[in-house]
Amino acid sequence: MAALPTLPTTVAATVAAAAAPSAARKLRRALLWGSLVALLVVAQSLLVWLTVNHERNRAQEQAEAASLVAADDVKQRASRNLQSFQALMWTDAAHVSSQPWQANAAVLLRERRELLQLERRDSQMRVTEAIDSPYAPGLFQRIRRSELSLEAVAACASAARLASPAYSRSYFVPLLSGAGLEVMDVCMPVQNAGQLEGFLVATVGLGGLLTEALGPELLRGHELSFVEGDGTRLARAGLQRGAGVYVAERVIDLNGVSLQLRLDSSAGSPRLIPNLAVAMVLGLSLALGVVVALLARDGRRRARAEAALAESLAFRKAMEDSLVTGLRARDLQGRVTYVNPAFCNMVGFTSAQLMGLITPPYWPPDLIEEYARRQAARFGSDRSIDDAREGFETTFMKQSGERVAVLIFEAPLVNRAGQHTGWMSAVLDVSDQRRVEEISRQQQERLQATARLATVGEMASLLSHELNQPLAAIASYAAGSLNLMQSGPPDADTAALLQQATERIAEQAERAGRVIKSVHDFVRRREQSREAIACNLLIDAVLPLVRLQTRKSGARVVVDVALPSPRVVCDRTMVEQVLLNLTRNAVQAMEEHTPLDARELRIEVRQHHARWVTFGVIDCGPGVSAEAAASLFTPFFTTRIEGMGLGLSLCRTVIEQHGGALEFVPCAGGPGTEFRFTLPAENPSKSAAALPTDATGGPSQPAVAKELA
Ligand code: ADP
């Protein structure tokens, strides 16, 4: 609500709609979550599959690479064998060695374990010499060599034809032990001066060839074998058995024959957990799952919070809409930032018409300047936030031009960070109230005027009595003067008497005039304005009328005003009426039961408090009974036959309108009643500088008591 407390209705509606549970929304949410989970599962499976596949490919590639190396090694070994055979043949033919062929051949057989037998044959393929490997003696003991020479003959035929070494197909040689060996023959033509002299035939064990050609490392992790096209294993080296998962085959071309080398790795199918990459993927998947779960929980919480927010927004909006008090917010520059419907009804403008305006259209045109000045002062930087909370009354103008009296309470808008961002006003339409007050005031005025007339009516008899005396005196002075004038021409004494009589007549006429004027003044004075007046003047003004009241009963009037006379601010006419009512009641109370010499009416004025002046009207009557006391100030309560019962209630109204109070207290130490009221003092700081501000402890003031007959 910092700068703009406007309730964003669209947002509220959206949030409320979002919070309202509906089957379609639930289904949509379930679908969303379902597809998210499915996507996650697919993504995870794909990741695992890719990782495993990668792992498999890697192992396969390793197997392929190892088979390549193995084939290469075998080929190299075979070609080195051929070189050794040639060296053997050459040594023999050139007679460079003193040792016979057999010795050299034995050395070769010892060096190369895969060679099982070496033979020399003549050009007719007859074996002339043969020597066995020391590691596998008696290769052809179970079946004689002549019976297993078919492959050797074919190889030699091919070798003779090509004049280069040639390998035979492999064949199986059963041994005496019952086992057997897969072997092949390699035949090398022996030529002398272009003439074929014979052949050197070496029988190579396939198993031995593998074992000797391949390094121990390769053999440790793989099963290596020569196989036939249909997969029949001919010879094997390395592991007893490969895992059968990563298998690579290579064809090794030797002179005249092709061997199929098969490599079977010991590595099995990639397993999930031991595999680091897969473990990582699984870990990540788990983490992802946890994150999704947390997200789901967060989403649920968010949905709950949104629902609560929507509810509170809806509640706030409903509250603001149903308020009868107008609400208006303004920013620090005085721009209207928010108004509620009640405010719009009050001034007859829509919210859109008022938003953002510094000089709103509900300010009456003739008061715009004054309001702008007032607003500038109110929004001034030196105005403290605490000072600003008081209410004030002002006038707005409706769109129709009708004026509305409003009471405004303004409070600062403070945002969550504690910054003052604007002003919030509660606006009450008090025009009806003001109308009622005006009517009541007029009625009150009329009532008071009536009461005054009633008082005058009551006084009429007293007045006639009062006027009777000066009129009678005037009549007798006039008659005396006439007699003197009729008795002849006046001498000096008669002239002096006539002058005296005329002066008396004038005096009495003036006295009668004064009496009539005081009554006239009392009835006619209508002005309502408050004025500052000295209390003695107030009392002096009503004294002639008071004296009129007391004359009949013969009561004494004692006026006791503090000196210097305190000054009060009041509506003089009204206060005079109060004094007159109270003195009249006092006189009437003393009329029946109070002995003549005890009838004393006392009017006191004191200032015990800096702000208030206290008046007392004290009589020596019978006092107020307990039951009368309960309803003394109720209108139309009276104990007198001719009474109206309005006097005291009017008095209280008048005094309270001045901010004072009217009460009665029994007189201390005797019968009688004191009616006591307070009026605001004029300029309390100056006139009562020396007085305490507490009404209980008053200073001793010099006072004079003036007794009037
Ligand atoms: P009214 O004088 O027309 O009766 P008031 O309102 O002036 O109407 O007085 C109401 C009643 O209060 C009187 O009838 C009287 O009984 C009582 N009252 C007023 N002043 C005094 C007083 N000084 N002593 C005793 N009773 C009083």
Side-chain angles (χ1 to χ4, degrees):
M1 205 191 253
L4 209 140
T6 314
L7 181 69
T9 41
T10 46
V11 172
T14 313
V15 177
S22 73
R25 256 193 60 248
K26 274 186 183 168
L27 184 70
R28 203 165 55 236
R29 182 177 290 180
L31 273 175
L32 268 173
W33 278 111
S35 38
L36 180 65
V37 169
L39 271 174
L40 254 167
V41 168
V42 168
Q44 294 316 306
S45 313
L46 202 67
L47 262 172
V48 171
W49 181 81
L50 281 173
T51 312
V52 169
N53 204 36
H54 170 76
E55 205 53 27
R56 190 175 289 133
N57 287 345
R58 202 171 54 84
Q60 183 61 41
E61 277 168 15
Q62 276 178 355
E64 297 285 348
S67 70
L68 203 67
V69 170
D72 210 35
D73 286 353
V74 169
K75 218 167 171 182
Q76 274 185 20
R77 184 77 182 182
S79 70
R80 269 204 299 276
N81 281 347
L82 288 181
Q83 285 167 8
S84 304
F85 297 151
Q86 272 166 349
L88 181 68
M89 279 163 36
W90 181 77
T91 313
D92 184 48
H95 305 288
V96 285
S97 166
S98 55
Q99 289 188 36
W101 176 84
Q102 287 220 335
N104 289 332
V107 171
L108 187 61
L109 285 170
R110 248 197 321 278
E111 280 175 5
R112 302 197 170 257
R113 296 173 74 113
E114 69 272 30
L115 300 183
L116 301 175
Q117 180 184 280
L118 285 172
E119 313 169 318
R120 289 219 293 186
R121 295 190 180 217
D122 60 17
S123 56
Q124 300 308 305
M125 284 305 287
R126 282 184 294 268
V127 177
T128 54
E129 253 175 311
I131 182 162
D132 278 344
S133 163
Y135 307 109
L139 182 65
F140 296 106
Q141 277 178 2
R142 187 155 168 208
I143 299 178
R144 277 184 294 124
R145 176 60 168 157
S146 54
E147 288 171 32
L148 285 172
S149 277
L150 204 61
E151 274 76 15
V153 171
C156 285
S158 163
R161 196 170 57 251
L162 298 171
S164 71
Y167 279 88
S168 74
R169 282 178 41 214
S170 69
Y171 57 96
F172 186 74
V173 181
L175 297 178
L176 274 178
S177 60
L181 286 173
E182 187 75 14
V183 299
M184 59 183 185
D185 293 327
V186 51
C187 183
M188 301 188 63
V190 181
Q191 289 177 330
N192 194 4
Q195 286 298 309
L196 182 71
E197 282 188 343
F199 301 96
L200 173 68
V201 178
T203 306
V204 182
L206 290 186
L209 180 63
L210 283 174
T211 313
E212 293 305 310
L214 304 176
E217 216 167 281
L218 205 60
L219 293 173
R220 208 174 298 134
H222 305 92
E223 178 198 351
L224 286 137
S225 48
F226 288 119
V227 290
E228 285 188 334
D230 60 356
T232 310
R233 195 183 283 113
L234 302 175
R236 184 188 57 71
L239 289 180
Q240 194 68 27
R241 202 160 188 83
V245 180
Y246 304 113
V247 177
E249 293 191 351
R250 300 270 154 207
V251 174
I252 303 169
D253 281 324
L254 298 175
N255 301 16
V257 74
S258 290
L259 284 175
Q260 196 161 349
L261 177 69
R262 185 169 192 264
L263 179 140
D264 188 352
S265 170
S266 63
S269 294
R271 274 179 291 163
L272 280 183
I273 299 304
N275 190 304
L276 187 63
V278 176
M280 273 177 66
V281 167
L282 283 180
L284 279 176
S285 309
L286 270 177
L288 209 60
V290 170
V291 168
V292 167
L294 286 176
L295 267 176
R297 200 177 62 170
D298 190 55
R300 271 200 307 278
R301 278 190 191 158
R302 190 177 289 262
R304 270 202 297 274
E306 273 174 6
L309 177 69
E311 202 150 297
S312 81
L313 280 177
F315 172 71
R316 200 187 113 187
K317 175 146 176 52
M319 195 178 70
E320 285 172 0
D321 290 352
S322 60
L323 266 182
V324 288
T325 309
L327 292 179
R328 174 191 65 181
R330 291 186 290 178
D331 64 14
L332 288 175
Q333 284 71 46
R335 277 188 293 265
V336 176
T337 54
Y338 167 72
V339 284
N340 73 340
F343 187 89
C344 294
N345 284 344
M346 211 179 283
V347 296
F349 290 97
T350 63
S351 164
Q353 286 173 311
L354 301 177
M355 272 316 126
L357 296 181
I358 290 188
T359 307
Y362 53 75
W363 283 4
D366 50 321
L367 297 173
I368 283 180
E369 250 175 60
E370 186 194 330
Y371 283 13
R373 231 183 1 260
R374 219 165 54 183
Q375 176 162 306
R378 252 203 324 276
F379 285 12
S381 56
D382 51 339
R383 186 194 188 204
S384 101
I385 287 179
D386 294 333
D387 290 351
R389 291 183 192 271
E390 82 266 5
F392 59 92
E393 202 172 319
T394 190
T395 306
F396 283 171
M397 193 178 80
K398 287 192 173 199
Q399 198 172 23
S400 58
E402 187 191 336
R403 306 227 166 180
V404 196
V406 290
L407 190 60
I408 301 181
F409 294 90
E410 204 147 57
L413 269 178
V414 178
N415 69 8
R416 276 199 300 173
Q419 281 170 331
H420 176 207
T421 56
W423 299 92
M424 187 79 203
S425 316
V427 184
L428 292 172
D429 182 351
V430 289
S431 34
D432 286 346
Q433 202 176 322
R434 292 290 167 269
R435 253 194 301 281
V436 170
E437 275 173 14
E438 180 57 27
I439 291 168
S440 147
R441 195 187 59 76
Q442 285 170 1
Q443 280 174 347
Q444 191 80 19
E445 229 171 62
R446 273 200 291 277
L447 202 61
Q448 281 163 2
T450 313
R452 263 199 308 278
L453 285 175
T455 311
V456 171
E458 265 179 43
M459 282 181 187
S461 64
L462 304 172
L463 198 64
S464 63
H465 173 75
E466 181 71 6
L467 289 178
N468 226 11
Q469 277 189 353
L471 288 177
I474 288 168
S476 68
Y477 281 126
S481 301
L482 273 178
N483 285 342
L484 280 175
M485 283 189 281
Q486 281 164 4
S487 60
D491 54 12
D493 287 345
T494 315
L497 277 173
L498 275 175
Q499 172 149 3
Q500 231 177 16
T502 315
E503 278 170 9
R504 293 283 178 277
I505 287 171
E507 269 173 25
Q508 293 302 323
E510 196 189 317
R511 182 182 160 194
R514 270 205 310 273
V515 170
I516 288 173
K517 184 171 180 294
S518 67
V519 176
H520 181 263
D521 280 356
F522 175 70
V523 178
R524 299 295 297 171
R525 212 177 310 127
R526 293 292 307 272
E527 67 269 23
Q528 285 285 313
S529 58
R530 301 264 163 106
E531 57 185 310
I533 183 169
C535 295
N536 56 346
L537 292 184
L538 258 182
I539 291 171
D540 284 350
V542 292
L543 261 183
L545 300 174
V546 175
R547 277 170 53 199
L548 265 179
Q549 294 167 336
T550 54
R551 176 139 312 168
K552 197 173 121 199
S553 64
R556 285 190 311 282
V557 180
V558 178
V559 177
D560 183 359
V561 182
L563 278 181
S565 171
R567 289 170 68 81
V568 288
V569 178
C570 65
D571 180 340
R572 186 178 168 175
T573 318
M574 306 306 293
V575 175
E576 283 174 7
Q577 169 89 54
V578 170
L579 280 169
L580 219 51
N581 277 359
L582 296 179
T583 50
R584 186 203 56 187
N585 280 353
V587 169
Q588 285 174 346
M590 291 189 292
E591 256 169 8
E592 276 184 26
H593 306 291
T594 315
L596 194 61
D597 57 341
R599 290 178 189 173
E600 183 183 281
L601 168 63
R602 205 176 163 78
I603 303 172
E604 272 184 9
V605 180
R606 290 282 183 274
Q607 187 171 10
H608 297 311
H609 191 283
R611 292 177 57 203
W612 300 103
V613 175
T614 309
F615 288 71
V617 176
I618 305 151
D619 65 61
C620 304
V624 181
S625 66
E627 54 287 12
S631 39
L632 211 56
F633 294 101
T634 313
F636 303 111
F637 169 79
T638 181
T639 56
R640 284 196 290 269
I641 299 158
E642 74 282 13
M644 279 174 67
L646 283 174
L648 285 179
S649 91
L650 274 174
C651 288
R652 176 169 268 190
T653 310
V654 169
I655 296 302
E656 285 177 354
Q657 276 173 353
H658 283 78
L662 169 65
E663 57 178 4
F664 74 94
V665 279
C667 274
T673 315
E674 177 180 357
F675 277 84
R676 194 185 285 166
F677 65 88
T678 49
L679 285 175
E682 183 212 22
N683 244 351
S685 54
K686 277 190 218 157
S687 65
L691 292 173
T693 51
D694 185 352
T696 49
S700 61
Q701 295 188 61
V704 289
K706 183 164 70 176
E707 187 172 313
L708 300 171

